[in-house]
Amino acid sequence: MFDWLIVGAGFAGSVLAERIASQRGEKVLIIDRRAHAGGNAYDRYDDAGILIHQYGPHIFHTNSEMIFFYLSQFTKWRFYEHRVLARVDGQLVPIPINLDTVNRLYGLSLDSSGLERFFAERAERIAEIRTSEDVVVSKVGRELYEKFFRGYTRKQWGIDASHLDRTVTARVPVRTNRDDRYFTDVFQFMPKRGYTALFERMLSHPNIKIMLCTDYREIRSVVPHRRVIFTGPIDEFFDFRFGKLPYRSLRFEHLTLDRAWHQPVAVVNHPQSEPFTRVTEYKHLTGQRHSRTSLTYEYPSDHGDPYYPVPQPQNAVLFKRYEELARKRSDVWFVGRLATYRYYNMDQVVGQALATFKRINEALPLELRKRAPSRLAAMAEVTQI
Ligand code: FAD
Ligand code: UDP
C-alpha cells in the first residue's frame, strides 16, 4: 500500500514526492504517462550528443531565495542571463522592446528620455486595461504592437490579443534603457548538468517508486494507495464533466546543423509571417561545446499535449466549476500548471508545490517523532513564496 499516488512527474509532482518521502517518511508512487520524468522541463542528449530541451527552452529564474535554495539541493547551477532577439522587418532587434530596439528599427539615436517621449506620442489612452492588446498599445502604440506582438500572439494562441487576458503580454516588459535581458529576477541560472539530472536526484529516495509510461486511469483501481496528488489537466480528472478546458499545444521540430552556431542568442522570436514563433539554439543556454549545433522550431497548435492554459474570462469561469469539484475531494490535492489552470513558470510551480506540502502537513499532522528537522521548513515559515 502506497501512502501517496502522485500523478505527473514534472516539477509539481516531483517536488511533492521528494518532500513527502524525505520529510514525512511516507511511501510514494509517482507515475507519468510519458517515458520520462521532468514533465515539460525534461532535457536529453540528442543523436549528435547535444543537450536539448524536448519541450522547448526552459530558463530558470526566480526572485525567491527559498525556492532557489530548495532546488540547489539537487543541482549545481550555471549562471545564465537570457537574451532574446526578434526578427522584425528583416532585422534582429532586442525584445523586450528597449532603447536599442527602437533606435535600430527606425534609424534613430534617442536617449532614454527621448524614447519616453517617443512612446508617449504613440501610446493610446485606454481607460481600463483588460486585454493583452491593451497592455502593449497603451505603452508603445499600435505600430510596435503590430510588429512585435500581434502576429506572435495570433500564432501562439490562435486568437487575437484583444481576446486574451492582459496577463499574457504583460509577461514581457517595455524598457526605455538598454537592458536587453529577458528576465530581471535576482536568481537566473541553468541547472549545471541539466533538468533531467536535477529530477533524478530529486526523485532518488528509497521511499519513492517511479512508474513511467503509465496513465492514471490504468492503475488508479489496481494499485492500492491512500491519497492522490494530481498534476495533470483538471478537466480530464473529472472526465470532462463540464466540457473541455482549452490548453494550447505546440509542435516541436528539433534539428542539428553541421556548423558550430546558427544565431547570436539562445532564442530568436519570429513575430511576423513565419509559421513558427521562435527558434532556440541550446548551446547558448547550456554552455556546451560542440562542433555542431541543435535547434528547436516551435509551431503552435490546437492539437497535441496540453502546454498552456489559455487565459480568457470564459475559461476562468469553466475552471472555477472544476475547482469547486476539486474542493470536495479531500483525498486529492491538485497542483501544477495543468491542474490549477495557471500560466505558471517553473519557480511558481515549485513554490505552489512547497505551499501545498505545508497544507498537507497542516491537514495531516505527523507524530512529532516522525518529522525530520528541516532548515528549509524554517525558511519557508519566514519567506514569502
Ligand atoms: P508538467 O511539467 O506539464 O508535468 C505534468 C506531468 O503530468 C506531465 O509530464 C504529464 O505527462 C503528466 N500527466 C498528466 N496527466 C497524466 C495522467 N493522467 N497520467 C499520468 N501522467 C499524467 N517555465 C520557466 O520557468 N521558464 C521557462 O523558460 C519556461 N519555458 C517554457 C517553454 C515551454 C514551451 C513551455 C510549454 C513551458 C515553459 N515553462 C517555463 C513552464 C514550465 O514548463 C512549467 O511551469 C512547469 O514545467 C510545470 O510543471 P508541472 O509539474 O505543473 O507540469
Ligand atoms: N509575445 C509576443 N511577442 C514576443 C514575445 C512574446 O507577442 O516576441 C507575447 C505572446 O502572446 C506570448 C506572451 O507575450 O505568448 C508571453 O511571452 P513569453 O515569452 O513569456 O511566453 P512563453 O515563454 O511562456 O511561451
Side-chain angles (χ1 to χ4, degrees):
M1 166 77 88
F2 287 97
D3 297 303
W4 296 86
L5 171 59
I6 300 187
V7 182
F11 268 108
S14 299
V15 167
L16 277 159
E18 185 281 323
R19 287 289 85 188
I20 288 169
S22 70
Q23 303 298 305
R24 291 177 62 88
E26 292 172 328
K27 298 263 180 238
V28 176
L29 173 64
I30 182 165
I31 67 164
D32 205 296
R33 58 186 167 201
R34 288 169 168 165
H36 57 75
N40 289 337
Y42 169 71
D43 54 16
R44 65 174 171 89
Y45 286 88
D46 65 11
D47 292 343
I50 298 170
L51 185 61
I52 66 162
H53 297 184
Q54 178 80 16
Y55 306 100
H58 278 70
I59 295 99
F60 182 77
H61 56 103
T62 189
N63 282 318
S64 164
E65 193 183 6
M66 198 270 285
I67 290 167
F68 180 68
F69 283 125
Y70 170 70
L71 291 177
S72 302
Q73 297 177 92
F74 313 109
T75 187
K76 292 197 166 77
W77 300 98
R78 166 178 196 261
F79 177 70
Y80 170 76
E81 285 182 324
H82 193 42
R83 287 182 169 79
V84 179
L85 295 172
R87 180 165 287 285
V88 171
D89 299 344
Q91 287 197 65
L92 286 180
V93 291
I95 174 89
I97 294 172
N98 71 7
L99 189 56
D100 290 319
T101 312
V102 173
N103 281 339
R104 301 232 295 259
L105 212 53
Y106 293 105
L108 299 171
S109 44
L110 300 172
D111 58 11
S112 289
S113 48
L115 183 58
E116 275 166 33
R117 281 194 299 278
F118 179 98
F119 286 153
E121 281 159 15
R122 287 158 180 82
E124 291 182 12
R125 255 183 221 103
I126 296 171
E128 192 197 349
I129 311 284
R130 279 185 311 105
T131 73
S132 268
E133 179 183 289
D134 297 344
V135 169
V136 185
V137 167
S138 67
K139 281 192 215 151
V140 300
R142 198 153 290 274
E143 186 169 307
L144 285 169
Y145 162 73
E146 286 179 0
K147 285 187 192 298
F148 287 86
F149 287 88
R150 191 176 65 171
Y152 189 108
T153 302
R154 274 205 189 147
K155 283 191 263 186
Q156 173 71 12
W157 299 95
I159 41 184
D160 196 81
S162 58
H163 296 296
L164 210 49
D165 191 84
R166 65 189 168 152
T167 51
V168 176
T169 53
R171 289 167 60 89
V172 184
V174 172
R175 305 205 179 106
T176 52
N177 58 20
R178 302 190 63 193
D179 187 350
D180 62 347
R181 293 171 307 160
Y182 207 68
F183 309 112
T184 51
D185 300 51
V186 178
F187 302 96
Q188 303 189 41
F189 292 96
M190 296 295 291
K192 200 158 193 171
R193 291 179 48 238
Y195 289 96
T196 298
L198 181 161
F199 279 94
E200 274 164 11
R201 280 198 68 185
M202 192 183 261
L203 293 173
S204 103
H205 190 284
N207 289 339
I208 302 177
K209 292 270 172 296
I210 309 172
M211 220 169 152
L212 299 172
C213 304
T214 305
D215 196 288
Y216 178 49
R217 283 156 201 271
E218 294 173 72
I219 60 146
R220 63 183 165 190
S221 51
V222 183
V223 176
H225 56 276
R226 288 200 172 84
R227 299 184 183 89
V228 173
I229 290 169
F230 189 79
T231 75
I234 190 169
D235 54 339
E236 184 185 313
F237 182 89
F238 291 109
D239 298 319
F240 309 106
R241 196 175 307 176
F242 303 131
K244 280 197 160 192
L245 269 170
Y247 296 89
R248 189 70 170 158
S249 191
L250 295 170
R251 181 170 65 78
F252 300 99
E253 206 174 280
H254 304 295
L255 60 120
T256 302
L257 302 179
D258 279 328
R259 57 170 186 265
W261 294 104
H262 172 67
Q263 59 191 31
V265 288
V267 171
V268 172
N269 285 359
H270 292 266
Q272 295 185 317
S273 56
E274 300 85 348
F276 44 87
T277 47
R278 59 185 175 189
V279 179
T280 300
E281 183 171 27
Y282 292 100
K283 289 199 302 179
H284 292 287
L285 295 179
T286 59
Q288 189 180 355
R289 291 185 187 175
H290 201 288
S291 57
R292 303 173 77 194
T293 192
S294 292
L295 317 174
T296 298
Y297 285 69
E298 288 176 50
Y299 295 85
S301 163
D302 266 342
H303 310 287
D305 281 357
Y307 292 122
Y308 292 85
V310 183
Q312 285 186 293
Q314 67 273 29
N315 302 340
V317 170
L318 182 54
F319 169 68
K320 285 271 167 238
R321 296 186 70 194
Y322 282 113
E323 202 182 24
E324 275 306 307
L325 291 181
R327 232 177 245 131
K328 292 179 192 139
R329 293 294 302 265
S330 58
D331 55 333
V332 185
W333 272 259
F334 293 85
V335 195
R337 178 143 142 154
L338 304 172
T340 61
Y341 206 67
R342 289 194 172 88
Y343 187 177
Y344 271 171
N345 294 325
M346 293 180 282
D347 65 318
Q348 294 171 301
V349 169
V350 172
Q352 190 191 41
L354 292 174
T356 305
F357 180 65
K358 201 167 164 222
R359 283 198 290 116
I360 287 172
N361 279 338
E362 283 158 9
L364 306 165
L366 284 180
E367 300 155 46
L368 277 179
R369 66 182 165 77
K370 266 190 162 178
R371 199 179 279 162
S374 156
R375 204 168 71 82
L376 200 83
M379 275 183 82
E381 294 294 328
V382 292
T383 315
Q384 192 72 33
I385 296 171

